[in-house]
């Protein structure tokens, strides 16, 4: 089994409820995942998102650019939340999301990647190291970056926040 990065888009009132009732947030996350897996949902309507196994490489690359938000782990732990896979979920407020969307806007994947190769990711022990056996994994990484950028941009447009966790 692999670790993947997961996101749940929440309105400000839903974020407040999640802070008061973390068990509600867990149930809601499961409901969203089930609903969105059962029928196609347009990108602008998606409430859930995952970065697949690309999450750690994205973290690595964003840190190299001194990214202003911890987009791959979240900023603050959801108070009182249980473990959702590899720890409790963390929160990105609507303000964090807007900051992230603004920082992502001028950063296409080629600029994010720079001169980093798949071999560099493997040498840096970026999870999962076996994925970075050759440069054919870089398009996978680019697709996940593009999709995450679009999801964050949509979340910012709605003025929503995110719960972030590893599952």
């Amino acid at each position: 089994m692999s670790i993947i990065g997961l996101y749940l888009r929440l309105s400000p009132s839903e974020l407040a409820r999640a802070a008061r009732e973390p068990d509600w947030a867990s149930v809601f996350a499961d409901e969203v995942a089930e609903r969105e897996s059962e029928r196609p949902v347009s990108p602008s309507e998606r409430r859930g998102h995952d970065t697949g196994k690309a999450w750690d490489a994205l973290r690595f690359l964003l840190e190299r650019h001194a990214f202003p938000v911890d987009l791959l782990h979240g900023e603050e732990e959801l108070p009182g939340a249980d473990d959702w896979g590899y720890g409790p979920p963390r929160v990105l407020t609507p303000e964090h999301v807007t900051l992230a969307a603004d920082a992502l806007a001028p950063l296409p994947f080629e600029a994010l990647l720079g001169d980093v190769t798949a071999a560099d990711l493997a040498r840096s022990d970026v999870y999962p190291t076996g994925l970075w056996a050759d440069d054919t994994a870089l398009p996978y990484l680019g697709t996940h970056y593009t999709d995450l950028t679009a999801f964050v941009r949509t979340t910012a447009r709605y003025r929503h926040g995110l719960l972030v966790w590893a599952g």
Side-chain angles (χ1 to χ4, degrees):
M1 189 160 114
S2 297
I3 301 171
I4 63 171
L6 296 156
Y7 295 83
L8 177 65
R9 178 170 59 84
L10 297 174
S11 69
S13 63
E14 290 167 336
L15 278 173
R17 182 173 182 188
R20 289 189 316 272
E21 303 173 49
D23 290 341
W24 168 84
S26 177
V27 170
F28 186 65
D30 290 343
E31 290 171 354
V32 166
E34 183 176 332
R35 188 170 51 246
E36 291 185 355
S37 71
E38 289 175 352
R39 66 174 180 80
V41 180
S42 72
S44 65
E45 296 303 314
R46 288 195 63 81
R47 299 293 299 265
H49 181 75
D50 77 75
T51 56
K53 295 180 281 186
W55 64 272
D56 197 34
L58 294 172
R59 176 214 42 89
F60 176 84
L61 294 171
L62 289 170
E63 284 179 358
R64 289 174 43 94
H65 287 270
F67 202 73
V69 175
D70 190 347
L71 187 56
L72 282 297
H73 295 110
E75 290 289 327
E76 306 149 7
E77 195 171 293
L78 182 65
D82 292 329
D83 185 328
W84 284 21
Y86 293 90
R90 298 179 65 85
V91 177
L92 290 172
T93 65
E95 295 78 18
H96 290 131
V97 172
T98 297
L99 184 60
D102 290 347
L104 289 168
L107 190 59
F109 180 67
E110 295 74 24
L112 176 72
L113 189 61
D115 62 355
V116 173
T117 65
D120 294 329
L121 295 172
R123 267 192 304 280
S124 297
D125 203 28
V126 171
Y127 177 88
T129 55
L131 183 62
W132 316 117
D134 59 61
D135 285 330
T136 61
L138 295 181
Y140 168 84
L141 183 57
T143 297
H144 278 287
Y145 177 73
T146 300
D147 293 348
L148 178 61
T149 298
F151 183 72
V152 169
R153 192 172 42 247
T154 297
T155 302
R157 189 171 46 251
Y158 281 111
R159 294 185 174 93
H160 285 180
L162 293 168
L163 291 184
V164 182
W165 70 100

